[in-house]
Amino acid sequence: MANLADANGRAYVDYEIYELNPKLFDTFWRQLKASSLDEYGIFITTFNKNEIEFQGTGRWTMGNTIEGILDPEEVSTLSQVATLVRENQGLLHFEYDEYEPGSEILRAVELAFSFDQAGKPIVVEETMDDYPYSKEIIESLGFMPLDELIFNDRSQINAKLIN
């Protein structure tokens, strides 16, 4: 079983590329919102022109899930977006905070995708910066920390299950 990674962040393309075909990107964002891989996926909270904000759940990492979602079978407009981005030397960016409590991972991630001739996404930039792993920072990033007391005290687990 894979550990789940939660993420909060945004995805965007340069505004100049968005302006070349705004209707295409409006459709692309809607399709991206509807796509998911079983219980994994990105769930768009807002979108505005060239940018979306999202929350998501990844399998091991959010990056794995994003790469899986960026598949022409999942998003029918992807090949058109890929062509537009590639021909204009642009990138599709994802920036997010990621929390994977099973491995105590808390980090800021930036991914930038280019596309090959077939429309397949290629990670061309990737940065990961770890945050100090603390309950305060986890909460400040908008995640719910694991309550260690509940996991260490079986009577509290049973009380929560009964109520």
Side-chain angles (χ1 to χ4, degrees):
M1 182 167 111
N3 287 347
L4 300 178
D6 291 324
N8 299 318
R10 70 184 191 121
Y12 65 95
V13 294
D14 293 327
Y15 192 77
E16 296 77 19
I17 293 175
Y18 169 83
E19 280 295 305
L20 295 171
N21 194 338
K23 288 183 180 187
L24 172 63
F25 281 99
D26 293 346
T27 302
F28 175 67
W29 297 136
R30 275 194 223 72
Q31 288 178 352
L32 204 58
K33 180 178 183 175
S35 67
S36 67
L37 304 170
D38 300 316
E39 71 267 28
Y40 313 111
I42 65 170
F43 309 97
I44 297 171
T45 56
T46 61
F47 72 91
N48 184 15
K49 300 185 181 190
N50 69 315
E51 179 177 328
I52 61 168
E53 291 182 16
F54 69 91
Q55 294 178 334
T57 302
R59 184 172 192 270
W60 296 109
T61 69
M62 193 67 219
N64 289 337
T65 298
I66 291 170
E67 288 184 48
I69 287 172
L70 291 179
D71 179 331
E73 291 179 20
E74 293 288 322
V75 183
S76 64
T77 57
L78 185 64
S79 63
Q80 292 172 287
V81 167
T83 299
L84 190 63
V85 169
R86 185 183 65 252
E87 288 177 353
N88 291 281
Q89 291 85 42
L91 298 172
L92 177 60
H93 299 268
F94 286 82
E95 298 173 352
Y96 54 90
D97 293 320
E98 179 173 53
Y99 172 48
E100 198 275 274
S103 297
E104 294 189 352
I105 294 171
L106 185 64
R107 62 184 164 204
V109 179
E110 294 182 23
L111 297 174
F113 293 89
S114 181
F115 297 90
D116 67 15
Q117 290 290 80
K120 181 182 176 209
I122 302 164
V123 176
V124 293
E125 296 175 15
E126 180 175 24
T127 60
M128 292 183 206
D129 294 314
D130 291 329
Y131 291 108
Y133 195 85
S134 74
K135 182 176 181 177
E136 293 78 19
I137 295 173
I138 292 167
E139 288 175 341
S140 75
L141 295 172
F143 300 111
M144 182 164 305
L146 290 178
D147 187 346
E148 293 180 10
L149 179 62
I150 290 173
F151 290 104
N152 290 331
D153 184 345
R154 285 199 170 283
S155 64
Q156 287 195 21
I157 293 172
N158 292 335
K160 287 206 177 271
L161 291 174
I162 293 169
N163 296 327

